[in-house]
Amino acid sequence: MPTETINDVAVLGLGTMGHGIAQTFAAAGYQVRCYDDHPAARASLHQRIRSNLQAFVKAGLLDETKIEPILSRVQACDTEAAAVTNVSFITEAVKEDLPAKLELFERLESLISPQTILASNSSTFPISQSGARLQLPGRAIVTHWFNPPHIVPLVEVVPGPQTSEETTQTTFDLMQDIGKQPLLLRKELPGFLVNRIQIAIMREVWDLLDQNVASPEDIDAALRASVGFRLAALGPLEVHDFGGLDIQTTVYRNLITEIRSNTEIPDVVRKLVEQGHLGPKTGRGFHDYSPQRLADRQARRDSLFLALLKLLYPDSVKGSA
Ligand SMILES: NC(=O)c1ccc[n+]([C@@H]2O[C@H](COP(=O)([O-])OP(=O)(O)OC[C@H]3O[C@@H](n4cnc5c(N)ncnc54)[C@H](O)[C@@H]3O)[C@@H](O)[C@H]2O)c1
């Protein structure tokens, strides 16, 4: 399906990811119908997108006059059926729960045409799992976005063994059309590519914290000033090349048996979760988030992300449609 024939898309689940995904399609000129089974998520949709767009304006990435036209293309629907009827492309961003995704896709097939593409934003489940009950599995694919989805450029596009070539090509073209940098994986596997790498880093970071090698503040500052700094400009394999593969393989051999291989969640993290310290949503995680500190950290995060976007991916910002 040529992307020029796609005008209407739907986003289901309007939480952390869904509202930003809807915003991205709308900024690129698509009509976006949205549904969440929590009325509060539907009611707050426009306000959350407006606030994101205002940050783009503040960063000099969007003209203020574009905010209302973008918002006018986003419709919060009262029912799932109203959101998906007659759209060409649907992205689900409901909770990370396999039965919920299986049931949703199964239900949707009775409401949509055979040509409609179904994309899952799952962080871990390949489409051969979440789309296992589909009558037409060729129409289903993973598009894995990264938080905040209206800012981070990459979207992993992961077809399953039964996904049709047409679905894959249309999805890839669509992601490019909305300003994203699609990465087409050659095979599907749980967690796709980026989350597998992120988990490997997370395991060692959590272990070092558990061993009390450094404070949470120092670990974050150290990674930002080294690995994070380099990775903003170079890919990891390029970093290895520049370091020299003779040195890198020696470092690998010397350290690979030293780093954590245990698959249990380290005590320090397990205890935080048991005590209900889950991050900003509960006021504390690895760091404290009083309301004032949270507002400061969030504003800082978004302005730095937008500055990086402007510097490194200026073409990914859409909004003049
Ligand atoms: N948060 C992240 O960093 C991130 C990144 C990439 C992918 N994902 C994936 O995106 C998906 C959504 O994650 P999130 O972080 O936005 O979750 P979230 O909890 O913030 O939002 C999920 C939303 O879906 C709604 N919902 C649940 N079941 C529904 C249904 N059947 N129909 C309609 N709405 C329903 C909920 O009310 C909620 O508003 C998950 O699969 C997650 O793994 C998350």
Side-chain angles (χ1 to χ4, degrees):
M1 187 190 329
T3 53
E4 304 85 69
T5 64
I6 300 178
N7 295 312
D8 296 78
V9 301
V11 178
L12 305 176
L14 305 172
T16 306
M17 299 303 290
H19 85 284
I21 295 172
Q23 170 184 334
T24 307
F25 278 110
Y30 291 87
Q31 300 292 329
V32 194
R33 282 192 255 144
C34 303
Y35 177 73
D36 192 293
D37 61 4
H38 272 63
R42 304 198 294 269
S44 64
L45 177 64
H46 276 86
Q47 185 40 45
R48 287 181 288 148
I49 295 180
R50 186 189 302 280
S51 159
N52 293 342
L53 291 170
Q54 279 162 347
F56 275 69
V57 172
K58 206 170 156 204
L61 286 163
L62 187 75
D63 193 294
E64 191 156 16
T65 60
K66 305 295 183 195
I67 292 184
E68 293 311 318
I70 293 172
L71 285 171
S72 73
R73 290 193 283 273
V74 178
Q75 188 189 344
C77 299
D78 288 337
T79 63
E80 185 176 272
V84 300
T85 309
N86 295 327
V87 302
S88 307
F89 191 92
I90 299 171
T91 305
E92 73 75 19
V94 305
K95 61 188 169 187
E96 188 73 349
D97 176 71
L98 190 55
K101 290 188 194 284
L102 279 162
E103 281 161 28
L104 176 67
F105 277 158
E106 195 174 26
R107 212 167 47 240
L108 291 181
E109 262 196 329
S110 64
L111 301 168
I112 60 179
S113 83
Q115 286 75 38
T116 302
I117 293 176
L118 289 172
S120 170
N121 183 47
S122 170
S123 305
T124 55
F125 303 123
I127 201 66
S128 57
Q129 289 180 22
S130 58
R133 291 199 210 138
L134 287 171
Q135 307 279 328
L136 300 176
R139 63 159 83 209
I141 193 160
V142 161
T143 52
H144 179 230
W145 299 56
F146 294 83
N147 188 35
H150 49 284
I151 300 179
V152 182
L154 189 77
V155 176
E156 291 178 294
V157 174
V158 193
Q162 292 184 282
T163 307
S164 74
E165 278 185 25
E166 193 188 0
T167 296
T168 304
Q169 190 63 53
T170 303
T171 303
F172 188 90
D173 293 346
L174 185 61
M175 292 302 111
Q176 274 189 323
D177 193 54
I178 61 175
K180 289 296 166 187
Q181 179 178 308
L183 165 70
L184 179 59
L185 292 201
R186 295 175 182 162
K187 62 191 248 186
E188 71 163 20
L189 66 182
F192 322 120
L193 185 140
V194 176
N195 274 354
R196 295 173 77 99
I197 296 168
Q198 292 200 130
I199 285 293
I201 295 172
M202 198 188 292
R203 177 161 68 180
E204 190 58 21
V205 166
W206 285 0
D207 186 57
L208 291 168
L209 187 66
D210 201 42
Q211 292 188 54
N212 200 21
V213 173
S215 68
E217 291 73 19
D218 283 350
I219 292 176
D220 276 356
L223 268 284
R224 287 179 52 215
S226 57
V227 176
F229 183 88
R230 287 200 302 218
L231 289 187
L234 295 179
L237 298 174
E238 253 181 315
V239 168
H240 303 160
D241 278 344
F242 276 110
L245 296 188
D246 47 345
I247 306 291
Q248 304 291 3
T249 47
T250 304
V251 171
Y252 184 94
R253 268 192 218 100
N254 290 351
L255 290 185
I256 199 66
T257 53
E258 297 292 325
I259 64 172
R260 187 180 172 93
S261 56
N262 187 335
T263 55
E264 293 302 309
I265 303 231
D267 284 350
V268 68
V269 184
R270 189 181 43 75
K271 282 182 192 153
L272 281 173
V273 174
E274 280 170 8
Q275 290 160 8
H277 299 315
L278 307 179
K281 60 183 156 189
T282 58
R284 193 180 148 192
F286 294 114
H287 303 283
D288 279 320
Y289 299 97
S290 64
Q292 185 52 47
R293 184 171 182 278
L294 174 57
D296 290 348
R297 295 306 293 174
Q298 217 155 21
R300 185 173 184 281
R301 180 196 77 164
D302 288 350
S303 75
L304 283 174
F305 278 161
L306 288 168
L308 271 181
L309 193 67
K310 202 170 168 179
L311 183 68
L312 299 173
Y313 299 92
D315 295 339
S316 82
V317 181
K318 301 278 171 177
S320 53

